[in-house]
Amino acid sequence: MGRFSGKTAVVTGSGRRKGLGEAIARRLAQEGAAVVISDLGAPRDAATPGGMIGASEEMEAIAADLRAEGGAASTFVCDVRDYDQVRALARHAVERHGGLDIWVNNAGIGYIMKPLLEVQPQDWTAVIDVNLTGAFFGLRVAAEIMVAQGRGGRIINIASQAAKSGFPHAQAYTSSKHGLVGLVRSAAIELGPYGITVNNVCPNHVTTGLGAWQNEYFSKVVGAASVDDYLKQMAARIPMRRPGLPEDTAHAVAFLCSDEAVYITAESLNVSGGEEPH
Ligand SMILES: NC(=O)c1ccc[n+]([C@@H]2O[C@H](COP(=O)([O-])OP(=O)(O)OC[C@H]3O[C@@H](n4cnc5c(N)ncnc54)[C@H](O)[C@@H]3O)[C@@H](O)[C@H]2O)c1
């Protein structure tokens, strides 16, 4: 019996190896939750290129790993930009696993980065659609089910250090993540009376698939001699002297999902080794 035995969790964007979503899903499954691994499954358009998204085989492999480790897991393909698909994902969780207790909006894109004067309207929209509107869709459908169930719940967005500070070449990304701060503050007010908490987790850099792309990109932007050099400079400015690990974020999510965090809502919790103090 784990802390989340008898509970069902959905983690969006959890079908990519080495991602924060995979680590979060694993942690929740290890502690007894039945977990839905959800992701795009295949490229859809220019904003979701192959190699940068969770493919169907990867989703299935991650779910199979969790089952092999003793957990309960299913998969469901969902583009979080499409409200009907997000509703179908929530229905899947309820029908397959018997309810919905934890919803983690983890899906995000951070590989459309450009200098301000090169950003096109479609670049802006592509990022906001996934990172902010997609998270709102998830929160909206999860909240409706949790309110109807009447047994409380946990809704968590994986925001970012970019929810608190600005970053160059990342106007849409930082705006989408700052937007999540407003989203949890307002949603928490309406959902508190139902025992549903709504929070953001704000990691600093983690070398996931997305993070590795950012290392390549930003090491060139700052003129670092190499990606290794760029990462050494990054580690030197972080009080804990290393970038984040997927497990650091998973620990924070597990805490916010636990009974111990029942009185914590509307928060945006930094998991940044002290790099982000706000
Ligand atoms: N890696 C970091 O440094 C870092 C730091 C802070 C916050 N984050 C945030 O953490 C989350 C996970 O990122 P990650 O670093 O693990 O990268 P990742 O690329 O491994 O995970 C992101 C996932 O989102 C999925 N996704 C993208 N568009 C989608 C859509 N329309 N519908 C459904 N799924 C979609 C991708 O397929 C991918 O599996 C993101 O929200 C990201 O912004 C990452």
Side-chain angles (χ1 to χ4, degrees), residues 12-261:
T12 69
S14 56
R16 195 170 179 206
R17 287 290 193 193
K18 300 185 183 166
L20 300 183
E22 180 185 12
I24 293 163
R26 169 164 287 109
R27 178 63 190 271
L28 296 177
Q30 282 170 345
E31 296 206 46
V35 180
V36 182
I37 301 292
S38 183
D39 214 305
L40 285 166
R44 308 277 172 122
D45 50 32
T48 56
M52 295 302 290
I53 56 110
S56 289
E57 317 80 67
E58 254 177 312
M59 292 170 60
E60 294 301 336
I62 289 170
D65 282 358
L66 299 192
R67 286 191 293 265
E69 292 161 17
S74 65
T75 57
F76 196 87
V77 169
C78 171
D79 184 335
V80 299
R81 297 170 295 184
D82 183 325
Y83 189 56
D84 288 340
Q85 291 184 36
V86 180
R87 287 173 65 194
L89 168 60
R91 270 199 308 274
H92 162 86
V94 172
E95 284 163 14
R96 174 70 70 92
H97 301 290
L100 183 63
D101 304 282
I102 295 165
W103 186 286
V104 183
N105 287 309
N106 169 74
I109 56 175
Y111 43 78
I112 300 179
M113 304 251 166
K114 293 178 182 175
L116 177 62
L117 300 186
E118 291 174 21
V119 175
Q120 299 302 316
Q122 60 270 26
D123 300 324
W124 172 269
T125 310
V127 175
I128 299 292
D129 281 354
V130 180
N131 294 8
L132 184 55
T133 308
F136 172 70
F137 287 170
L139 180 148
R140 171 72 178 76
V141 302
E144 188 166 349
I145 291 172
M146 290 171 182
V147 167
Q149 285 179 161
R151 59 179 198 233
R154 299 283 190 266
I155 300 173
I156 296 170
N157 304 317
I158 306 308
S160 171
Q161 183 178 15
K164 306 284 186 79
S165 292
F167 289 89
H169 296 218
Q171 306 78 18
Y173 188 80
T174 52
S175 301
S176 69
K177 299 297 188 180
H178 275 69
L180 294 173
V181 176
L183 180 60
V184 303
R185 286 179 178 164
S186 348
I189 296 169
E190 291 189 53
L191 296 176
Y194 299 96
I196 301 166
T197 67
V198 192
N199 293 290
N200 291 318
V201 172
C202 301
N204 66 340
H205 175 77
V206 186
T207 302
T208 58
L210 169 61
W213 183 94
Q214 292 177 343
N215 291 340
E216 294 278 346
Y217 181 86
F218 283 110
S219 57
K220 289 186 191 115
V221 170
V222 303
S226 64
V227 169
D228 271 0
D229 217 48
Y230 170 74
L231 286 169
K232 276 188 194 134
Q233 289 171 26
M234 182 192 292
R237 70 169 180 263
I238 298 171
M240 299 303 289
R241 293 292 183 271
R242 66 164 174 83
L245 297 169
E247 291 71 24
D248 296 321
T249 292
H251 292 321
V253 170
F255 168 64
L256 288 173
C257 289
S258 72
D259 289 346
E260 286 78 8

